[in-house]
Amino acid sequence: MTRVPVRDDLSALEGYHSPQVTVDVRLNTNEAPVGPPAAFREALAAEMSRIEWNRYPDRAATALRTAIGALHGVGPEQIFVANGSNEVLQTVLLTFAGPGRTVATFEPTYQLHGHIARITGATVVEGERAADFSIDMDEVRRVVSRSRPDVTFLCSPNNPTGGVDSPSVVRELLALSPGLLVVDEAYGQFADWSAVELVDEETPLVVSRTFSKTWSMAAARLGYLVGPRWLVAELDKVVLPYHLDATKQIAGTLAVRFLDEMNERVRSIVAERERVITALRSLDVDVFDSGANFVLFRPRNASGRAVWQGLLDRSVLIRDCSGWPRLADCLRVTIGTPAEDDRFLSAITEVLS
Ligand SMILES: *Cc1c(COP(=O)(O)O)cnc(C)c1O
């Protein structure tokens, strides 16, 4: 068999790894611990029976974009929707990055920003965050003046470190960066402010969100961004026609009717997060502050990898970040149900003793 060579610039690229292992307690991918309300499932089932399967879905996904826009007080023409926020980011990068263009990230941050940018053929410039993983403005100035990025990423709350960027950080980045600023707010509902309030026609800013985390809809693969109208129109040219299937459009439109329930889930996860952080702080680990539904921590006197394995041996799966740059020995745990968090806490207490 003859293998056809892949693009030269892709040959060194590694895939995205996040092991899907069968365990009792799965706290590794920042999903919501419980599903959407039963009333949502019933409404979805009823609507599904009315789909005209022989017809293409609404190409502009107008009902869905209108419903999402209403969440943010904007019209459908300011909302771009795709199959997960990763596809939203891919479309942004296909439109504004690609060969000959530069994308800036501030590490450690969400690995897929750089990964997708490289797949589009862009050059990725990695700035470093400060020791506490906040954005270091001197570093931003250095990266931006040297590389003049076409696209700059922020992630707030930042995955995997958990910190929230303040409005002044986002404003400063907007002032400094010559290109488009993308603020990934996959965990935005956990934070006390949103960069959506800075979006307008004159500002080169988009804010991406996902249904995978706070909306308890990872299975649906649905994400969106809020941006200027002109920019959304450009993205609509780049994305494949009819990329959003009818089922997903209906699921998303129905989901946002359950906003109160979503906010209630967020409140209980935040309370649970504070309980987990307090418990972890009583153990021999360093814990980073989190404004999201996960917590990054580092065992002080044990290797991160060994602790991760010890938890897995007890059927508790968390994310092993210990091999990632700048994150030696770090582990990230997603906040689960109180029962799952108890399992995690007793397992880690055992592993560390
Ligand atoms: C989980 C996550 C996403 C979500 O991606 P989807 O494709 O919408 O599931 C995007 N950005 C960050 C930072 C995430 O952690």
Side-chain angles (χ1 to χ4, degrees):
M1 191 189 81
T2 309
R3 289 198 182 194
V4 178
V6 301
R7 261 164 48 192
D8 293 344
D9 61 321
L10 293 186
S11 56
L13 200 74
E14 282 197 40
Y16 178 72
H17 299 291
S18 181
Q20 287 191 309
V21 188
T22 306
V23 287
D24 292 348
V25 179
R26 212 166 63 184
L27 301 174
N28 66 326
T29 48
N30 299 342
E31 293 151 329
V34 295
F40 163 81
R41 290 171 186 270
E42 285 153 23
L44 180 61
E47 286 294 326
M48 293 264 294
S49 68
R50 287 195 275 275
I51 290 177
E52 283 188 78
W53 288 104
N54 55 318
R55 300 292 175 196
Y56 280 107
D58 175 16
R59 182 166 170 188
T62 309
L64 176 59
R65 288 162 77 176
T66 303
I68 292 172
L71 292 175
H72 298 287
V74 303
E77 61 289 343
Q78 282 195 259
I79 305 292
F80 175 78
V81 192
N83 295 285
S85 56
N86 287 322
E87 193 184 52
V88 172
L89 300 178
Q90 182 189 55
T91 310
V92 168
L93 290 164
L94 285 170
T95 311
F96 295 97
R101 293 200 166 202
T102 302
V103 175
T105 63
F106 294 91
E107 303 292 327
T109 190
Y110 189 48
Q111 290 179 324
L112 282 175
H113 295 159
H115 182 76
I116 301 169
R118 287 184 186 95
I119 290 174
T120 72
T123 301
V124 177
V125 180
E126 295 184 351
E128 300 281 316
R129 285 167 184 264
D132 65 356
F133 299 133
S134 64
I135 293 289
D136 171 354
M137 275 303 156
D138 289 336
E139 175 74 348
V140 170
R141 275 183 211 98
R142 193 187 66 79
V143 167
V144 164
S145 61
R146 190 188 288 177
S147 311
R148 312 298 297 161
D150 299 282
V151 179
T152 300
F153 275 98
L154 281 180
C155 186
S156 178
N158 187 45
N159 182 4
T161 60
V164 178
D165 295 322
S166 68
S168 65
V169 163
V170 177
R171 281 207 186 85
E172 273 192 79
L173 255 118
L174 277 171
L176 289 169
S177 81
L180 178 66
L181 179 64
V182 180
V183 182
D184 183 337
E185 288 191 355
Y187 306 92
Q189 290 91 340
F190 293 105
D192 53 7
W193 84 286
S194 168
V196 170
E197 65 187 58
L198 302 177
V199 171
D200 64 38
E201 288 305 298
E202 278 68 55
T203 308
L205 167 70
V206 295
V207 180
S208 65
R209 293 240 169 156
T210 178
F211 280 73
S212 300
K213 313 289 165 52
T214 45
W215 287 102
S216 296
M217 300 230 328
R221 307 302 303 125
L222 179 59
Y224 66 95
L225 66 70
V226 187
R229 288 180 191 83
W230 68 267
L231 186 144
V232 170
E234 295 296 335
L235 300 180
D236 280 334
K237 291 182 205 162
V238 171
V239 76
L240 294 173
Y242 307 109
H243 67 299
L244 272 195
D245 64 83
T247 316
K248 187 181 330 250
Q249 293 191 33
I250 292 169
T253 308
L254 290 175
V256 299
R257 292 194 195 152
F258 298 89
L259 177 64
D260 291 346
E261 288 83 348
M262 187 273 280
N263 283 325
E264 188 45 46
R265 290 195 300 273
V266 167
R267 266 192 294 280
S268 62
I269 289 169
V270 167
E272 197 48 23
R273 177 188 75 207
E274 295 311 306
R275 182 177 80 89
V276 169
I277 288 179
T278 305
L280 279 175
R281 290 218 157 107
S282 71
L283 301 173
D284 197 16
V285 299
D286 292 319
V287 185
F288 296 91
D289 286 332
S290 172
N293 68 337
F294 55 82
V295 179
L296 188 77
F297 65 95
R298 181 160 44 205
R300 289 196 204 106
N301 292 300
S303 97
R305 180 76 196 176
V307 172
W308 180 83
Q309 186 61 52
L311 291 169
L312 190 56
D313 294 343
R314 289 160 181 80
S315 207
V316 176
L317 178 64
I318 66 171
R319 195 70 192 264
D320 179 12
C321 310
S322 63
W324 302 2
R326 300 273 315 265
L327 291 175
D329 289 319
C330 287
L331 303 173
R332 187 196 72 193
V333 62
T334 304
I335 301 303
T337 62
E340 288 172 328
D341 298 336
D342 283 342
R343 275 282 302 268
F344 161 71
L345 289 169
S346 62
I348 193 165
T349 304
E350 219 176 274
V351 170
L352 290 174
S353 66

